[in-house]
Amino acid sequence: MTLKFNKRQLQAYFVCGTQDVPGKDLETIVQTALDAGITAYQYRDKGASQLTAPQRLALGRRLRQRCAAAKVPFIVDDDVELALALNADGIHVGQKDDQVTTVLQRVAGKIFVGLSCSTVAEIEIANQIDGIAYIGSGPIFPTTSKADADPVVGLAGLRQLVKVSKRPIVAIGGITVQELGPVAHTGAAGSAVISMLAQSPDIEQTVNAMLAVTEVRP
Ligand SMILES: Cc1ncc(COP(=O)(O)OP(=O)(O)O)c(N)n1
Ligand SMILES: Cc1ncsc1CCOP(=O)(O)O
Ligand SMILES: [Mg+2]
C-alpha cells in the first residue's frame, strides 16, 4: 500500500543519494532526517554515485522500509522501473527524462508523479496534463549539487511560476536556512533540499527550521 500525495508533504522535502554524502552512511542520514520530521524523502542516486544497479536496488529497499515505518513518502528520482520495483510512493521526473505522459501511463495511478518545470511555458504544458501531483521548480539559487542544472530561476521567477501553476510547487536549488522564509513567501508549498540537510552539522535543527516556516496563502 502506498501513501497518497498531499501538498503538505512538500514542506520539508529531503533529496539525497550516496553521491551527496561521500564517506558517510546514507541510511543513517536519512533516518536522522526522518526522526527529525522531514515530510518527504527522494532517493536520487546518480551522477558520481559508485553504486551498481543491484546495490542501488538493495539500498533503495532499506530506505523504502525506513520511510514506510515513518509514514513519510518515499519518492524515486528519474527511474520509473526502480520506483515500481521498490513500491515507491512517488516518482519525480524532469524535462530530460522519460516523457511524463509515458510515466503516468506506466504507473497507472499506483504511485504519484512529480514533474520538474522551470519556465512558465513548461508549467502551462503541465497544467494541461492530468495526473501530475506536484511541480518541482528550480534551481531557485545557484547550486553545486546538479551539474546540468537549468539557469537560476530566482524568487521573482518562482513567484511567477506559482501564480500560473495549477499544482503545488516545491522549490529546489541552492536553498539555505536563510532562504526558507523568502521561498515560502512566494506561495511555494515547500522547499526540496540536498546540501542544506546532507551537509548540516545538526540535521534535527535544520529540519525544525524547515518545519517552522509557515506557507503563505497566495
Ligand atoms: C523535487 C525535485 N524537483 C526537481 C528535481 C530535478 O529533477 P530533474 O530535472 O529530472 O533533474 P535530476 O534530479 O534528475 O538531476 C528533483 N530531482 N526533485
Ligand atoms: C536536483 C536539483 N534540481 C534542481 S537544483 C537541484 C540540486 C539541489 O541541491 P541543493 O539543495 O544542494 O542545491
Ligand atoms: Mg531527472
Side-chain angles (χ1 to χ4, degrees):
M1 188 66 185
T2 57
L3 294 173
K4 291 286 165 262
F5 174 76
N6 180 308
K7 72 179 277 191
R8 288 191 300 278
Q9 295 164 348
L10 301 179
Q11 179 164 1
Y13 188 146
F14 184 28
V15 179
C16 202
T18 54
Q19 73 281 358
D20 301 307
V21 288
K24 297 182 193 172
D25 180 57
L26 179 62
E27 259 190 278
T28 302
I29 288 170
V30 171
Q31 188 60 56
T32 304
L34 288 167
D35 293 345
I38 55 168
T39 54
Y41 167 66
Q42 182 186 125
Y43 184 40
R44 177 180 180 272
D45 199 77
K46 64 187 298 183
S49 167
Q50 304 294 309
L51 297 188
T52 63
Q55 288 171 328
R56 185 167 290 121
L57 181 64
L59 175 56
R61 284 202 181 105
R62 299 195 299 272
L63 292 167
R64 201 273 172 276
Q65 285 169 346
R66 291 177 182 270
C67 288
K71 294 187 174 51
V72 168
F74 175 79
I75 300 156
V76 171
D77 184 44
D78 288 353
D79 187 339
V80 66
E81 298 310 324
L82 179 61
L84 291 168
L86 291 174
N87 191 35
D89 298 294
I91 179 162
H92 188 94
V93 291
Q95 298 287 327
K96 299 170 194 154
D97 298 314
D98 294 347
Q99 278 292 318
V100 70
T101 47
T102 304
V103 172
L104 285 162
Q105 283 163 3
R106 181 72 182 90
V107 301
K110 286 194 287 286
I111 65 179
F112 61 80
V113 177
L115 175 68
S116 293
C117 292
S118 59
T119 67
V120 168
E122 289 171 350
I123 295 269
E124 287 175 338
I125 292 168
N127 282 343
Q128 303 308 314
I129 300 172
D130 290 339
I132 295 170
Y134 74 87
I135 301 291
S137 292
I140 308 306
F141 306 104
T143 178
T144 55
S145 302
K146 178 177 166 60
D148 60 340
D150 287 329
V152 166
V153 170
L155 290 169
L158 175 59
R159 193 173 294 110
Q160 186 59 28
L161 298 178
V162 168
K163 203 178 289 182
V164 300
S165 180
K166 280 169 53 177
R167 277 67 179 236
I169 291 187
V170 63
I172 189 167
I175 297 175
T176 61
V177 170
Q178 294 74 22
E179 299 297 351
L180 291 170
V183 165
H185 281 88
T186 67
S191 289
V193 301
I194 298 180
S195 42
M196 190 177 94
L197 280 173
Q199 296 166 16
S200 170
D202 185 336
I203 288 175
E204 182 179 9
Q205 185 180 59
T206 306
V207 172
N208 285 339
M210 299 180 86
L211 296 173
V213 172
T214 49
E215 181 192 347
V216 173
R217 301 246 172 255

